[in-house]
Amino acid sequence: MQGVTIRQIPADRPGSGIPVIRLHYSADPSMTPERLQSLRSKYTSDARFNREMEIQYEALEGVLLYPEFNRERNLVDPFDCSDRDRWTIYMALDPHPRTAHGMAWEAVNKHDDRIICGELWPEFGTAYGPTDGIRWHTREYAEWIQFFESDSREKTEPFEWARGKRLYVARRYMDTFGKAANSDEGEDYFETYRRLGQELTKANVSNPAMHINLNFQAALKGHDNLAKAQDSIGRALMPQMNERGENIGPPRMRIFSNLYELIDEMENVRYPEGEAERLSDERPITYQKHVIDCLHYIETDRPVFRMLNRERAAPPENPNIVR
């Protein structure tokens, strides 16, 4: 039968000898060239199409994690996205005991447009990197988050666009590793940031713009969740397409042009060379993808625009109505 083959799991693998049916789309008599073209238009790259539809396991070998990223269509000059009536901001953190903590901020509007509007990666040699040879302490990270999200008029890059603007974060995410590792202050990272947020708020009790809630929720992990996040980001980086593959609008995801670490990661993180034998082999090479990981943590929870709950003023009394 066309498009159907049977293979056996090799002897040196778990489940050896078990037959596996390999079903190709050519076995479907209803798969017309037009339908195939429609399906192809839904994939963000030929490599992903070949891997899933052509059953080419090696299709992602050496391929960029986000080949959809393009400086001309995905980068925009920073603009003010602090208005909560128009944008909902999310933030994620990737903690590490031996390297810098990575952070990212993403804003979403009611049209599902997504702006990556902030990052922090104070590794040695970067703009915020230590100059005394000593890595930042967790308290310093918390203080910088507080500073960036306050209404300070002295904010530095990449948050100059938010000078004088208070940033309200709807939800924060952290890598689950934060529960398994202790910070330099003793507790795990989730507890440390929660406590530091309370302490920084108490130290500025008379200045609400400096109040900061650093309660993080654990990011969704696992192969399936990560795959969904990568697919969501890949699609959002591409121009909007209809079923015929025609361009009907600009990309849903834009990145501020001053987020140099994220841009560098977008242009360099690749899948490993060689045939993948396990799901773990399909993980992108850890070139340095801490800010991208933060985007994954946000996207696995499907960020949406959240309307503010405002109390509606009572309608004016109508003099013509007798009560």
Side-chain angles (χ1 to χ4, degrees):
M1 180 178 178
Q2 180 180 356
V4 178
T5 56
I6 297 179
R7 298 184 178 183
Q8 282 190 332
I9 297 178
D12 59 340
R13 306 286 176 82
S16 63
I18 296 176
V20 178
I21 295 178
R22 188 173 182 268
L23 185 64
H24 189 261
Y25 65 77
S26 59
D28 183 357
S30 67
M31 186 61 71
T32 63
E34 293 76 20
R35 185 182 174 199
L36 182 60
Q37 179 58 37
S38 177
L39 285 172
R40 183 183 289 273
S41 69
K42 292 179 170 61
Y43 285 82
T44 57
S45 70
D46 287 339
R48 288 192 171 96
F49 175 85
N50 290 336
R51 182 180 184 277
E52 184 168 337
M53 296 297 292
E54 299 293 353
I55 323 180
Q56 295 178 7
Y57 306 111
E58 73 288 352
L60 295 178
E61 181 180 330
V63 173
L64 283 169
L65 176 59
Y66 289 113
E68 304 86 2
F69 173 75
N70 179 285
R71 284 179 176 248
E72 290 186 3
R73 68 169 176 248
N74 294 122
L75 297 187
V76 294
D77 292 332
F79 61 87
D80 184 5
C81 54
S82 63
D83 187 346
R84 289 193 292 167
D85 286 323
R86 291 180 169 82
W87 297 93
T88 299
I89 298 178
Y90 297 83
M91 181 262 187
L93 183 148
D94 191 19
H96 301 90
R98 296 183 181 84
T99 60
H101 294 197
M103 304 180 199
W105 284 258
E106 179 176 350
V108 183
N109 67 14
K110 65 181 181 181
H111 305 293
D112 197 32
D113 295 319
R114 287 170 265 178
I115 299 295
I116 315 306
C117 58
E119 69 174 16
L120 183 60
W121 168 249
E123 186 54 273
F124 292 115
T126 65
Y128 286 94
T131 58
D132 56 2
I134 302 175
R135 293 195 181 279
W136 285 19
H137 298 293
T138 309
R139 183 175 293 272
E140 293 174 281
Y141 289 108
E143 290 171 346
W144 275 97
I145 297 172
Q146 178 190 43
F147 173 64
F148 284 147
E149 296 180 8
S150 73
D151 65 351
S152 171
R153 295 184 180 276
E154 306 299 324
K155 293 180 189 179
T156 52
E157 289 286 14
F159 285 93
E160 284 189 356
W161 62 267
R163 285 181 172 177
K165 304 290 185 179
R166 177 82 158 95
L167 303 185
Y168 295 89
V169 173
R171 190 167 292 177
R172 301 183 194 275
Y173 306 90
M174 187 189 298
D175 185 358
T176 53
F177 172 79
K179 287 187 180 294
N182 289 342
S183 72
D184 52 284
E185 301 216 357
E187 316 108 320
D188 68 58
Y189 285 105
F190 283 87
E191 178 60 24
T192 298
Y193 273 102
R194 184 197 65 77
R195 176 176 54 78
L196 290 174
Q198 293 177 344
E199 292 179 6
L200 292 173
T201 296
K202 289 180 180 178
N204 296 272
V205 66
S206 61
N207 183 3
M210 293 294 286
H211 293 182
I212 187 74
N213 183 332
L214 293 180
N215 291 342
F216 287 82
Q217 71 178 57
L220 298 173
K221 302 296 287 289
H223 179 270
D224 289 346
N225 284 318
L226 179 59
K228 291 176 183 177
Q230 292 174 352
D231 183 69
S232 173
I233 294 172
R235 292 178 186 277
L237 289 170
M238 291 289 289
Q240 298 172 59
M241 301 283 186
N242 61 19
E243 292 186 355
R244 296 185 296 277
E246 299 168 336
N247 187 337
I248 59 173
R252 289 292 191 191
M253 180 173 284
R254 303 293 183 89
I255 299 171
F256 280 179
S257 57
N258 60 351
L259 304 186
Y260 304 116
E261 174 59 30
L262 177 57
I263 294 170
D264 185 45
E265 292 179 14
M266 284 284 183
E267 294 181 331
N268 287 282
V269 177
R270 296 177 178 272
Y271 286 94
E273 299 282 350
E275 183 178 352
E277 297 183 0
R278 303 176 301 274
L279 286 176
S280 59
D281 294 335
E282 295 177 351
R283 294 173 184 166
I285 292 175
T286 308
Y287 162 80
Q288 180 174 298
K289 60 181 183 67
H290 306 296
V291 179
I292 280 182
D293 280 343
C294 289
L295 291 190
H296 293 160
Y297 303 155
I298 296 173
E299 289 292 326
T300 53
D301 203 38
R302 299 186 179 182
V304 295
F305 174 71
R306 298 176 182 274
M307 292 287 293
L308 291 177
N309 292 323
R310 300 185 185 277
E311 291 186 5
R312 295 185 178 180
E317 291 289 339
N318 188 335
N320 298 317
I321 297 179
V322 178
R323 298 187 182 277

